[in-house]
Amino acid sequence: MNLIGHYNYLISIFLMMVGFFVVICRGNLIKKLIGLNIFSTSVFILYITMGKVAGGTAPIVVPGPGPHIYTNPLPHVLILTAIVVGVATTAVGLALTVRIKERYGTIEEDEIRLKDESL
Amino acid sequence: MNAHLPVLQVILPLLGAPLCMLTRSARLNWLITIAVSWSGFVISLLLAQQVWVNGPITYNMGGWVAPWGITYHIDALNAFVLIIVTMIAALVAPYARRSIQKEIDRHRQAVFYALLLLCQAGLLGIVITGDAFNMYVFLELSSLSSYALIAMGKRRRGLTAAFQYLIMGTIGATFILIGIGLLYNLTGTLNILDLAEQLNKHHLIATGNRTLITAFAFLTVGLSLKLALFPLHLWLPNAYSYAPSVVTIFLAATATKVAVYMLLRFCFTILGHGALFQMTLGKIILLPSLCAIFIGSIVAIFQYDIKRMLAYSSIAQIGYMTLGITMATPLGLTAGILHLFNHALMKGLLFMTMGAVIYRVDSVYLSDFRGLGKRMPWTMAAFVIGGLSLMGVPLTAGFISKWYLVKSALECGWWPVAGLILIGSLLAVIYVWRVVETAYFNPDHELEQRSCEAPLSLLLPMWILVIANIYFGINSDLPLSMAARAANLLLGVGV
């Protein structure tokens, strides 16, 4: 396998690291959530890439002779579940951010820390 | 009916949650929670009894058989962890009402009960399921509800604690997802028993397949985040100290235990009975475990918020569990698994006393404990007994697991480790003593208005745990034999 053959894997690892970097290095809570979303989306791509069979079609019954090669649909289904989980996580995260903004008046991590220390 | 017990274990709390949202009356919600938690406890006992007599139970969801459908598989290990989770849930439920009345706004109590039941459903689902991806979904279910529960604390720092936990927890869960995906990529199956079989059949373990190694690297890091192993523990102290008391009791006694259970499942059941684990991952986890015991205990000594102190002590105690696991000997694993049970007993008890103190005094700073020995005698006596159990004093539950841990460390020839376990216990003496000294021997606040003993509904669950701590310290046959059986099962010895 060459570099092009691993194209999807490389992209998903790149996205994973981008997302991870944003989560760690950005102090803004919304940006953190965006990073988290990129991070988990990269895993979705990883899963879907795993399911791909070279030359495979959609997993449906096609008239005509011969065994048809089809792409493994299970990872897609799994990822559908993971997407729902991701949406729920983002929703909880955003709701928390709104509440934090209400109570602290800011969503910057350093400012929140300062306000907590001044208590 | 008996045949459907495994699914009832999860589905009852899962149905109870929306029911709570529909009824909206705090009293009715509380009754629903009690009914669900107590029946859950009964079910887990029945299941354990069945497993004990007839061996592992397999329940096929919707009648789809093993490698294709989702199965619930219950053996000696899950049955034991199920008992731990449902037992704590059953004790927390009656405790919850008064504590919540004090700490949560009236109109949000229905949501609180619903989330508590959802969290319970998620944790029980993780433990009972025999499907790796299903485990991930239940993990997220329990985590999402626990983020929301933690954010319900009165102080605004609860919000930031919940957010921090959300970020770290999601990263951990995503790592677990990657690990499960790689395992699926290797074997084409998600069923845990089938995974183990496929890995064995294709000689992937013996040849040191690189995808397998990567998968376990992701799984171990993800699970360590979830179980708050030492360098990845940062979310835990904040989450435990700012959450409402009921949430702290429930999470401290169950959530990390369930993550430890997942670690055992992946590293032993899938990776083949521990020989490989001991050579690789076990060695890697050993150092963080020792650091957790030592640093967690030391940091706990310097805390003035007692709930936070107990949270750091939890980190140390998690170190004891993983330490037992890293030995991967029957005795070490038995000690680790037994400590899951005993730690749930003692931390549940200690956080319950904290809840009672918050109920009367409204704060758990060290200075607020002055004179509490006189004003809240039953609560503080419970705290002392929980503290003794935490130190590992003979005749308490904590002693049994520490004893086995030291014994197995000596059996492995790890003298320094055995020494460190004892030092950890001595450090526990120091931080527990600070509270006891303040409560019993320091003069009372002069300006403080008199607060009296906590209400009976808080004291009763607390004292049930006190009795359990003492009973299982004197007569430890029951949990010990269950833990030993689970350890043998994991190591593939006997049974």
Side-chain angles (χ1 to χ4, degrees):
Chain A
M1 286 292 257
N2 52 16
L3 216 57
I4 303 295
H6 283 146
Y7 178 74
N8 272 27
Y9 290 101
L10 292 175
I11 287 291
S12 84
I13 290 168
F14 175 74
L15 281 176
M16 204 182 283
M17 290 304 116
V18 167
F20 205 36
F21 179 81
V22 173
V23 173
I24 294 171
C25 291
R26 290 286 170 265
N28 187 308
L29 300 187
I30 295 287
K31 287 182 184 166
K32 265 185 195 293
L33 280 179
I34 293 173
L36 205 63
N37 264 304
I38 297 174
F39 181 64
S40 45
T41 309
S42 73
V43 182
F44 304 162
I45 299 177
L46 185 74
Y47 260 71
I48 289 173
T49 312
M50 284 174 196
K52 176 69 185 167
V53 177
T57 57
I60 44 175
V61 180
V62 194
H68 295 279
I69 299 171
Y70 60 88
T71 295
N72 184 358
L74 189 68
H76 296 69
V77 180
L78 296 181
I79 279 321
L80 214 54
T81 317
I83 288 172
V84 175
V85 169
V87 169
T89 312
T90 313
V92 174
L94 288 174
L96 280 175
T97 317
V98 170
R99 296 269 312 280
I100 288 174
K101 171 79 178 169
E102 280 170 8
R103 300 286 292 270
Y104 285 87
T106 174
I107 51 166
E108 292 292 333
E109 216 172 31
D110 350 339
E111 290 172 25
I112 291 173
R113 202 170 295 140
L114 276 178
K115 290 202 170 186
D116 272 340
E117 274 163 12
S118 65
L119 276 176
Chain B
M1 185 67 187
N2 256 1
H4 291 288
L5 282 180
V7 71
L8 280 176
Q9 182 89 89
V10 180
I11 239 159
L12 281 182
L14 206 58
L15 287 179
L19 212 59
C20 278
M21 291 300 287
L22 287 176
T23 50
R24 288 273 166 192
S25 134
R27 194 180 175 79
L28 211 58
N29 283 334
W30 178 63
L31 289 176
I32 293 171
T33 312
I34 284 204
V36 168
S37 315
W38 286 5
S39 49
F41 185 47
V42 172
I43 291 172
S44 76
L45 288 178
L46 287 174
L47 282 175
Q49 191 254 346
Q50 278 187 30
V51 169
W52 193 255
V53 177
N54 302 330
I57 305 171
T58 305
Y59 181 86
N60 294 326
M61 272 295 187
W64 295 88
V65 282
W68 298 283
I70 290 172
T71 54
Y72 281 3
H73 183 82
I74 307 161
D75 54 25
L77 178 63
N78 330 12
F80 190 51
V81 181
L82 281 177
I83 290 182
I84 300 176
V85 175
T86 51
M87 175 188 70
I88 295 296
L91 286 172
V92 161
Y95 185 97
R97 185 153 168 267
R98 295 300 286 271
S99 184
I100 286 172
Q101 274 175 357
K102 169 95 178 173
E103 290 179 40
I104 310 277
D105 298 337
R106 195 164 179 79
H107 66 280
R108 276 162 65 197
Q109 286 181 9
V111 188
F112 184 92
Y113 284 115
L115 284 170
L116 199 64
L117 286 177
L118 267 185
C119 189
Q120 200 176 319
L123 292 173
L124 291 172
I126 297 172
V127 177
I128 208 169
T129 187
D131 182 280
F133 194 82
N134 203 222
M135 217 181 221
Y136 162 77
V137 175
F138 277 125
L139 179 73
E140 283 293 30
L141 180 64
S142 68
S143 306
L144 281 171
S145 43
S146 58
Y147 306 146
L149 283 171
I150 289 167
M152 283 185 149
K154 254 188 174 172
R155 296 164 65 183
R156 64 178 182 182
R157 290 188 74 165
L159 294 172
T160 42
F163 192 85
Q164 194 186 15
Y165 184 22
L166 180 130
I167 295 285
M168 297 186 90
T170 308
I171 290 174
T174 312
F175 270 39
I176 294 168
L177 183 64
I178 298 171
I180 292 173
L182 291 174
L183 283 179
Y184 175 71
N185 202 6
L186 263 180
T187 58
T189 178
L190 286 166
N191 186 289
I192 287 176
L193 292 178
D194 198 35
L195 263 172
E197 204 184 301
Q198 297 289 334
L199 286 178
N200 239 331
K201 204 163 80 188
H202 298 292
H203 307 290
L204 291 168
I205 297 175
T207 51
N209 182 290
R210 195 181 285 177
T211 312
L212 186 68
I213 295 173
T214 318
F216 270 89
F218 274 115
L219 280 173
T220 313
V221 174
L223 287 172
S224 303
L225 253 169
K226 279 285 173 196
L227 64 86
L229 190 60
F230 165 64
L232 306 171
H233 67 275
L234 292 170
W235 58 267
L236 188 140
N238 280 334
Y240 282 11
S241 30
Y242 301 119
S245 312
V246 175
V247 179
T248 313
I249 299 164
F250 186 65
L251 290 184
T254 57
T256 46
K257 314 288 171 298
V258 169
V260 173
Y261 159 79
M262 280 179 81
L263 186 74
L264 285 169
R265 217 15 126 205
F266 279 110
C267 289
F268 287 85
T269 307
I270 293 183
L271 210 48
H273 304 325
L276 189 78
F277 172 78
Q278 203 192 6
M279 280 187 292
T280 54
L281 285 170
K283 290 262 188 304
I284 298 171
I285 298 177
L286 177 61
L287 192 63
S289 309
L290 294 177
C291 288
I293 295 173
F294 198 60
I295 297 174
S297 305
I298 296 228
V299 175
I301 293 175
F302 295 101
Q303 298 304 318
Y304 284 92
D305 182 335
I306 301 305
K307 241 175 137 183
R308 204 178 176 78
M309 178 193 95
L310 290 174
Y312 275 105
S313 134
S314 271
I315 292 166
Q317 301 292 322
I318 289 160
Y320 287 116
M321 292 168 212
T322 47
L323 179 64
I325 293 166
T326 55
M327 291 173 191
T329 58
L331 202 58
L333 264 183
T334 307
I337 296 170
L338 185 64
H339 202 54
L340 293 182
F341 180 73
N342 289 344
H343 182 247
L345 290 183
M346 54 196 174
K347 263 305 145 55
L349 168 58
L350 286 170
F351 277 119
M352 272 187 184
T353 61
M354 289 301 114
V357 171
I358 287 181
Y359 188 82
R360 284 300 184 209
V361 188
D362 226 358
S363 157
V364 281
Y365 273 95
L366 187 58
S367 53
D368 296 312
F369 277 78
R370 284 202 242 171
L372 279 194
K374 264 189 230 117
R375 280 182 281 140
M376 301 176 75
W378 288 96
T379 308
M380 289 321 290
F383 181 87
V384 170
I385 292 168
L388 289 176
S389 189
L390 195 66
M391 296 168 204
V393 174
L395 298 185
T396 57
F399 172 73
I400 307 289
S401 38
K402 291 243 171 87
W403 170 256
Y404 278 95
L405 209 57
V406 171
K407 212 164 126 185
S408 67
L410 293 181
E411 192 188 72
C412 292
W414 296 359
W415 288 89
V417 171
L420 205 65
I421 295 171
L422 294 177
I423 291 175
S425 283
L426 290 179
L427 291 172
V429 174
I430 299 176
Y431 59 71
V432 172
W433 175 251
R434 286 166 71 231
V435 180
V436 173
E437 188 192 3
T438 319
Y440 283 97
F441 302 113
N442 277 16
D444 210 340
H445 266 301
E446 277 161 21
L447 297 171
E448 180 94 45
Q449 74 271 44
R450 318 299 284 169
S451 54
C452 50
E453 186 52 82
L456 195 66
S457 65
L458 300 192
L459 282 179
L460 212 59
M462 197 189 291
W463 275 85
I464 291 175
L465 277 179
V466 167
I467 292 164
N469 264 301
I470 294 172
Y471 177 77
F472 290 118
I474 296 169
N475 181 6
S476 60
D477 285 348
L478 191 66
L480 191 62
S481 54
M482 290 181 89
R485 191 149 159 177
N488 286 338
L489 176 95
L490 287 175
L491 293 169
V493 198
V495 185

